[in-house]
Amino acid sequence: MVSQRGSGYGGEPDDAVWVAGVDYVAAWTAADEAATEVNEAAEALGIASHLVRAIPHTGIRGESVVWMQPEGVREIAHLLGELAEGRRAG
């Protein structure tokens, strides 16, 4: 429903196809809630929003999707690795 630019058609093939009877709004709302959680957690950790920025979206079958840039995913993976290492050590 929302492109990376914030609204409207984003140029992605999935953005152009809508299936009748699919509740895209509910799916987007769930994705938006999850994206907000990730963005707020990243902000609380002091991670710059240009590095980790989750973007809500829906797939053509109505599934909730959260988009992120690869460098943001790598930053989260790095932090999860540090957390796991700390748990193994402690």
Side-chain angles (χ1 to χ4, degrees):
M1 283 183 52
V2 176
S3 72
Q4 287 185 332
R5 290 176 290 287
S7 65
Y9 175 62
E12 297 293 323
D14 287 355
D15 290 343
V17 178
W18 290 70
V19 178
V22 175
D23 188 359
Y24 293 100
V25 174
W28 186 89
T29 299
D32 184 53
E33 290 170 359
T36 297
E37 288 179 33
V38 169
N39 292 334
E40 288 176 353
E43 182 180 342
L45 288 168
I47 300 171
S49 62
H50 73 276
L51 183 59
V52 172
R53 181 168 170 255
I55 302 168
H57 188 68
T58 58
I60 61 171
R61 291 170 297 283
E63 67 273 20
S64 298
V65 178
V66 177
W67 286 345
M68 290 184 67
Q69 297 292 330
E71 53 273 0
V73 174
R74 287 185 187 103
E75 180 66 22
I76 290 174
H78 174 75
L79 292 170
L80 289 172
E82 287 182 353
L83 179 62
E85 191 64 34
R87 286 189 176 183
R88 283 191 289 268

